[in-house]
């Protein structure tokens, strides 16, 4: 048979084959190099078994969840940093407001003193501790018992203020008869010892809360101290131990230090510590909130400033220590329960002294002070005192 003539040459067929191969290669390459990772994942998943598909999808979900959690943590971290910065700023503003208020108060007092012809205080304005000893017109012998034991007097008192920044004053108001015999006796005593701080109020047992409020209000305008202490005139005090104890809390802006207690609220009339407003503390038989016992306690500068600024609206309960506790209970205050500030008299404080644990303060709970303090203060000082040189060796920065 005669062979038929091919309509297309072999060369043409070869070129068509090569072109088809190149087109297929390009098409395949474009599919596998898609920039969309989700398309790649879908294509891979479509070629996998069911188990492999589940594992792959699970890994993708875990990856996305971890990314979301990481972003969430980063956002929460930034929010917390911002919140902390705002809190710090608020505290700084509050501190500045307090300092501004007390500066204005000092300025008003200074102007008033100049207007009345009063001389400037010879006491350094900057101090570490101001100690106010609550006393009464009838307590001359108690005051003398302290001057003869733990309280420096004369040149030693001035030296203690200048070199150690420790100010000690007997705190007293006025009698019901201005210029009377009681007033004149205090004037003579002050002229001799120069260790009194006079308050503008009438002395009386039921005025102790007012006296405390006025004391803190006045001392912050005279001395810029780290701490302000109130102590009764029948309590034995070791000044060096007090300074060393308070020095540990110098970095605390709002600290309230003393022997914290929570005694019963006495509703029965005629009792020594009767509280007329007992109903404010709940049902009969309830206890007070925690507060420092009134024989001795210390507060930092910010708290004394707060009392000074708000003295006109601070409520006064029958018991002075309860009043102070109520003024501070609603504030951001660190309460320090310092048991060395309420040791018993010998043998209690004596045993502790022999064991190397000197007490800050000693008194008898049964008497709310040293029982028969005039007769016994020297014995207590001999047994439990730290020595006259102890206060000069305590290290702290003014």
């Amino acid at each position: 048979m005669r062979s038929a003539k091919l309509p297309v040459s072999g060369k043409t067929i070869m070129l068509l084959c090569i072109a088809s191969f190149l087109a297929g290669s390009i098409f395949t390459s474009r599919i596998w190099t898609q920039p969309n990772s989700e398309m790649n994942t879908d294509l891979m998943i479509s070629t996998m078994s069911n188990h492999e598909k589940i594992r792959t999808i699970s890994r993708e979900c875990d990856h996305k969840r971890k990314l979301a959690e990481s972003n969430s943590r980063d956002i929460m971290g930034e929010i917390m940093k911002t919140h902390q910065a705002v809190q710090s700023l608020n505290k700084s503003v509050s501190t500045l407001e307090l300092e501004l208020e007390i500066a204005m108060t000092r300025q008003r007092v200074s102007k008033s003193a100049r207007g009345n012809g009063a001389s400037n205080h010879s006491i350094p304005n900057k101090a570490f501790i101001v100690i106010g000893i609550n006393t009464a017109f009838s307590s001359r012998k108690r005051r003398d018992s302290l001057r003869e034991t733990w309280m420096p007097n004369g040149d030693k008192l001035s030296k203690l203020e200048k070199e150690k920044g420790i100010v000690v004053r007997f705190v007293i108001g006025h009698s019901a008869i201005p210029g009377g015999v009681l007033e004149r006796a205090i004037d003579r005593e002050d002229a001799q010892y120069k260790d009194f701080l006079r308050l503008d109020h009438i002395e009386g047992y039921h005025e102790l809360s007012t006296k405390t409020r006025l004391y803190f209000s006045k001392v912050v305008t005279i001395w810029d101290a780290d701490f302000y202490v109130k102590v009764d005139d029948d309590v034995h005090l070791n000044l060096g131990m007090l300074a060393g104890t308070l020095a540990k809390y110098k970095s605390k802006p709002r600290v309230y230090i003393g022997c914290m207690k929570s005694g019963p609220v006495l509703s029965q009339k005629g009792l020594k510590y009767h509280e007329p407003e007992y109903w404010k503390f709940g049902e009969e038989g309830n206890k007070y909130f925690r507060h420092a016992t009134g024989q001795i306690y210390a507060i930092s500068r910010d708290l004394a400033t707060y009392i000074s600024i708000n003295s006109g609206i601070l409520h006064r309960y029958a018991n002075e220590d309860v009043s102070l506790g109520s003024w501070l209970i609603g504030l951001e205050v660190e309460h320090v329960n310092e048991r060395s500030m309420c040791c018993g008299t010998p043998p209690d404080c004596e045993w502790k002294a022999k064991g190397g644990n000197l007490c800050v303060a000693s008194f008898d709970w049964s008497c709310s002070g040293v029982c028969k303090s005039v007769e016994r203060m020297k014995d207590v000082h001999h047994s439990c005192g730290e020595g006259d040189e102890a206060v000069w060796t305590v290290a702290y920065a003014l």
Side-chain angles (χ1 to χ4, degrees):
M1 294 178 60
R2 188 176 57 186
S3 61
K5 188 177 179 179
L6 292 171
V8 181
S9 67
K11 187 176 181 179
T12 303
I13 292 172
M14 180 63 69
L15 289 172
L16 287 172
C17 288
I18 292 171
S20 298
F21 175 78
L22 291 174
S25 298
I26 292 171
F27 178 76
T28 303
S29 175
R30 287 179 64 84
I31 289 175
W32 286 102
T33 57
Q34 283 289 338
N36 191 328
S37 61
E38 291 184 0
M39 291 181 62
N40 292 342
T41 302
D42 292 343
L43 187 62
M44 291 174 64
I45 290 173
S46 66
T47 63
M48 295 178 181
S49 66
N50 289 336
H51 290 297
E52 290 174 333
K53 289 178 182 180
I54 292 171
R55 283 197 297 270
T56 301
I57 293 171
S58 176
R59 283 196 297 269
E60 286 293 320
C61 290
D62 286 342
H63 177 65
K64 291 178 181 179
R65 178 179 56 79
K66 288 176 181 178
L67 285 175
E69 289 177 352
S70 177
N71 291 336
S72 177
R73 283 195 296 269
D74 291 342
I75 293 171
M76 289 303 297
E78 291 300 319
I79 291 173
M80 288 300 296
K81 288 178 182 178
T82 303
H83 180 64
Q84 290 170 357
V86 170
Q87 283 186 322
S88 177
L89 181 60
N90 285 339
K91 289 181 179 179
S92 298
V93 170
S94 298
T95 301
L96 288 172
E97 287 175 344
L98 280 173
E99 291 176 355
L100 178 60
E101 287 282 355
I102 198 60
M104 292 172 65
T105 303
R106 284 177 178 150
Q107 188 177 29
R108 287 194 296 269
V109 170
S110 178
K111 286 181 178 179
S112 176
R114 286 196 298 270
N116 294 329
S119 60
N120 291 330
H121 291 278
S122 60
I123 307 159
N125 189 46
K126 179 63 182 174
F128 174 40
I129 309 170
V130 175
I131 303 169
I133 307 172
N134 256 17
T135 193
F137 288 105
S138 60
S139 298
R140 172 63 192 261
K141 290 183 178 180
R142 282 188 178 184
R143 293 190 291 273
D144 285 341
S145 73
L146 300 191
R147 293 181 181 119
E148 293 167 2
T149 54
W150 63 261
M151 180 181 173
N153 56 79
D155 292 340
K156 289 184 178 180
L157 186 64
S158 298
K159 183 181 177 182
L160 188 66
E161 295 174 17
K162 293 175 181 177
E163 296 185 11
K164 302 299 290 185
I166 300 177
V167 179
V168 187
R169 291 289 185 275
F170 287 109
V171 181
I172 196 167
H174 295 280
S175 70
I177 305 174
V181 62
L182 297 178
E183 296 268 1
R184 293 197 300 272
I186 292 295
D187 290 340
R188 288 193 298 270
E189 191 178 344
D190 191 23
Q192 179 181 357
Y193 293 102
K194 295 180 175 59
D195 56 6
F196 278 89
L197 175 68
R198 305 299 296 272
L199 301 179
D200 295 327
H201 90 112
I202 304 301
E203 281 291 325
Y205 178 78
H206 296 293
E207 297 297 324
L208 289 178
S209 293
T210 298
K211 186 173 183 177
T212 297
R213 177 179 61 83
L214 292 175
Y215 163 66
F216 287 120
S217 297
K218 186 162 187 174
V219 289
V220 295
T221 66
I222 302 173
W223 294 283
D224 180 20
D226 293 295
F227 297 97
Y228 300 90
V229 175
K230 176 262 174 179
V231 60
D232 288 340
D233 62 4
D234 56 353
V235 170
H236 181 270
L237 182 62
N238 281 322
L239 291 173
M241 286 302 299
L242 176 67
T245 299
L246 297 185
K248 296 186 294 185
Y249 301 99
K250 280 194 70 173
S251 61
K252 305 284 187 179
R254 290 171 296 277
V255 63
Y256 172 33
I257 306 171
C259 290
M260 298 295 163
K261 65 173 185 177
S262 179
V265 181
L266 301 179
S267 59
Q268 186 178 346
K269 290 183 179 181
L271 296 178
K272 184 177 180 181
Y273 299 113
H274 167 62
E275 177 55 70
E277 296 181 273
Y278 63 90
W279 58 273
K280 288 185 177 180
F281 298 92
E283 302 299 326
E284 288 192 32
N286 278 2
K287 291 185 176 182
Y288 289 114
F289 41 76
R290 288 283 173 183
H291 61 281
T293 185
Q295 286 87 347
I296 179 173
Y297 49 74
I299 61 175
S300 55
R301 179 195 293 110
D302 282 6
L303 299 183
T305 302
Y306 170 83
I307 293 171
S308 176
I309 294 170
N310 298 284
S311 61
I313 59 172
L314 295 177
H315 186 71
R316 294 177 291 282
Y317 291 100
N319 299 299
E320 165 255 337
D321 52 355
V322 172
S323 292
L324 178 68
S326 71
W327 302 339
L328 305 181
I329 193 69
L331 305 181
E332 196 169 310
V333 173
E334 180 176 348
H335 288 58
V336 177
N337 185 23
E338 181 55 66
R339 305 312 294 180
S340 70
M341 294 175 74
C342 56
C343 295
T345 56
D348 180 29
C349 59
E350 186 176 17
W351 289 339
K352 290 175 181 176
K354 288 180 180 178
N357 299 311
L358 277 167
C359 294
V360 172
S362 302
F363 57 88
D364 300 303
W365 287 103
S366 60
C367 300
S368 297
V370 176
C371 296
K372 298 182 179 178
S373 64
V374 173
E375 294 83 3
R376 296 182 58 224
M377 191 62 70
K378 285 185 179 180
D379 291 335
V380 175
H381 185 64
H382 176 74
S383 300
C384 304
E386 61 191 353
D388 294 340
E389 299 303 315
V391 68
W392 304 102
T393 61
V394 180
Y396 51 84
L398 288 177

